[in-house]
Amino acid sequence: MPYMIPTYVRPSPVFHKGQGCHLWDVENRRYLDFTAGIAVNALGHCDPGVTNVIAQQASTLVHSSNLYHNPWTGALSRLLVETTISSGAMQTAARAFVCNSGTEANEAAIKFARKVGSQMSPPPSSSSSSSKPITSTADTPASPKHEIVSFHSSFHGRTMGALSATPNPKYQQPFAPMLPGFRYGKYNDADAAALDALITDATAAVLVEPIQGEGGVHVATPAFLTALRRRCNTVGALLMYDEIQSGLSRTGALWAHAPVNGIPAEAQPDVLTTAKALGNGFPVGAVLVSERVSEALATGDHGTTFGGNPLACRVAHYVLGRLAEEKLQKEVLEKGHLFQTHLAKLQEQYPEVVREVRGRGLMLGLQLTQDPTPVVNACRERGLLVITAGKDTLRFVPPLVISAKEVEEGMYILNESMKVVFGR
């Protein structure tokens, strides 16, 4: 593709059609999809209900800007708040900001945290006698309470604020320097002394994934999230959960931090970000905030041209309603258990190759002792799409509507591929 900036290295198949858990390339070869567009197509490809909603709204109203009301932005915001509370997750959820993507959701969360921090600890006033104009951010007085804490192996996005919260040299170094005011800790380190040193009176917020996706499918322990919440309470910082990949029933609960996943109610966040599955492939993201955060924000503090448009919001409203169904969540747990049973068998078959099985529901990782790329390639050659996470982990994030038969089919192909790669 000579006219495209080479930001991705793509394999040879060119996909032109999808249905359910399958994709077809231009040569009409069918692939079973264990990637769901990187945890996006939760209802599968070309879901008839989603397609119908898009068609209806596209013929009614696509965009009118946030200068005016439309029926769907408020309806989606209300459904996000009410569904979250009824799920047992974030009980302080009060208001939503709708945007276009996950990285935009995290950018908004970072800005909101800085605004709350500036009200708790106002920046020093500039000298009234000075006539020197402010010409750069270095000249702008910062609130003493402005730092954002995130964790190694995290991934929060590629725009500069979210990237500054993603401490991976592969992503950060080409665009250095990062924004000031970001600090990084060790994921799942609940040691009190370490957290005291990391999260201080200067901390505006802690941003953390309850399950790290891109970093290797690492699950936060209840003790870690609880320790973060307590430390945030002590210093007056916000706790912000990035559930862009782990949320919307991928773990079998609406949100990965829900009590049903063993996370105490005490550990719930002040801010929650979501995207990916929210539109089932249509670009949309959102930030849920508590009333405390909302009260700190004023008209003009943030905005978006396309975010909250009626087409995206109507699609997301429909998708959220489907993903919140208890029947679907129960089936996610059942299929997740089936996946884990097969992955455990692979660990028994290849003890020198498979290091660990991790994850919840249909967000699973198979950590290897070597580069997983040959396995990814062998699977694709045999009609199965899988992706990686981190440096050594196979990641499985299929559509949540996948059938037991499709799980069995994919696991057979994975096993055959590993036999070829590892010489069994």
Side-chain angles (χ1 to χ4, degrees):
M1 300 294 181
Y3 297 101
M4 296 167 58
I5 295 175
T7 52
Y8 286 89
V9 176
R10 296 175 173 90
S12 57
V14 178
F15 295 121
H16 79 114
K17 183 175 70 172
Q19 187 65 54
C21 296
H22 292 89
L23 289 168
W24 284 261
D25 66 19
V26 291
E27 297 176 348
N28 207 35
R29 186 180 181 195
R30 189 180 75 161
Y31 297 79
L32 178 58
D33 185 8
F34 275 10
T35 76
I38 318 179
V40 168
N41 302 107
L43 297 176
H45 298 282
C46 297
D47 174 80
V50 174
T51 301
N52 184 52
V53 167
I54 290 174
Q56 287 183 11
Q57 190 61 40
S59 64
T60 304
L61 180 65
V62 172
H63 178 78
S64 58
S65 90
N66 283 299
L67 299 178
Y68 309 100
H69 290 292
N70 73 74
W72 291 104
T73 312
L76 173 61
S77 299
R78 178 177 179 176
L79 189 63
L80 279 164
V81 169
E82 292 182 347
T83 307
T84 294
I85 292 172
S86 65
S87 75
M90 185 182 176
Q91 293 299 289
T92 59
R95 297 177 185 267
F97 175 83
V98 184
C99 53
N100 304 288
S101 66
T103 195
E104 287 185 39
N106 283 334
E107 291 283 347
I110 290 166
K111 283 183 67 176
F112 296 168
R114 287 258 173 106
K115 180 69 185 295
V116 172
S118 71
Q119 292 192 347
M120 294 182 65
S121 184
S125 59
S126 301
S127 172
S128 58
S129 61
S130 174
S131 60
K132 180 183 177 182
I134 295 176
T135 59
S136 74
T137 55
D139 300 322
T140 305
S143 162
K145 196 172 192 64
H146 70 280
E147 291 183 347
I148 307 295
V149 170
S150 60
F151 298 89
H152 293 288
S153 296
S154 65
F155 183 86
H156 298 292
R158 296 178 185 265
T159 50
M160 285 305 292
L163 182 62
S164 297
T166 302
N168 185 327
K170 179 177 75 170
Y171 299 125
Q172 288 189 344
Q173 281 181 355
F175 308 102
M178 293 294 101
L179 301 182
F182 287 79
R183 305 184 72 193
Y184 313 124
K186 182 180 178 182
Y187 193 75
N188 270 338
D189 183 358
D191 177 73
L195 292 182
D196 287 354
L198 178 68
I199 305 167
T200 70
D201 288 333
T203 304
V206 173
L207 178 61
V208 62
E209 298 161 278
I211 303 178
Q212 291 185 330
E214 187 72 22
V217 193
H218 300 284
V219 181
T221 65
F224 175 59
L225 296 180
T226 301
L228 292 181
R229 175 74 272 176
R230 290 175 179 173
R231 183 58 183 163
C232 285
N233 291 346
T234 299
V235 301
L238 301 179
L239 180 60
M240 309 196 299
Y241 284 169
D242 176 345
E243 289 233 34
I244 289 164
Q245 188 164 159
S246 64
L248 298 174
S249 298
R250 183 148 290 278
T251 64
L254 186 66
W255 302 109
H257 75 272
V260 70
N261 280 337
I263 308 302
E266 177 189 357
Q268 291 183 355
D270 304 290
V271 177
L272 176 65
T273 59
T274 183
K276 284 193 179 287
L278 186 59
N280 205 60
F282 198 95
V284 62
V287 188
L288 287 174
V289 303
S290 65
E291 199 63 53
R292 170 196 174 195
V293 177
S294 177
E295 288 174 352
L297 302 172
T299 301
D301 277 347
H302 197 50
T304 169
T305 296
F306 296 108
N309 70 75
L311 178 54
C313 288
R314 184 173 177 186
V315 172
H317 188 278
Y318 173 81
V319 171
L320 177 59
R322 291 269 303 277
L323 294 178
E325 293 175 357
E326 291 184 11
K327 181 176 181 292
L328 180 141
Q329 294 170 351
K330 180 181 177 182
E331 291 174 351
V332 167
L333 293 174
E334 292 171 352
K335 306 304 166 36
H337 178 73
L338 183 58
F339 256 102
Q340 292 203 24
T341 298
H342 281 284
L343 295 176
K345 289 179 180 177
L346 289 175
Q347 188 174 25
E348 293 175 3
Q349 288 178 246
Y350 304 95
E352 73 285 0
V353 174
V354 178
R355 180 171 290 161
E356 187 179 9
V357 178
R358 294 193 293 265
R360 290 186 185 278
L362 288 175
M363 184 175 179
L364 299 169
L366 188 71
Q367 185 182 17
L368 307 183
T369 58
Q370 54 193 272
D371 181 8
T373 303
V375 178
V376 172
N377 294 337
C379 285
R380 188 176 62 251
E381 291 168 2
R382 289 160 180 78
L384 175 67
L385 301 177
V386 295
I387 53 176
T388 61
K391 297 179 179 179
D392 56 8
T393 302
L394 291 167
R395 180 171 22 164
F396 305 92
V397 283
L400 303 188
V401 294
I402 193 168
S403 68
K405 182 179 179 181
E406 289 166 334
V407 174
E408 298 283 358
E409 177 189 350
M411 287 294 105
Y412 174 80
I413 297 174
L414 176 61
N415 193 9
E416 291 299 303
S417 300
M418 292 180 70
K419 286 179 182 178
V420 171
V421 172
F422 302 124
R424 290 293 177 90

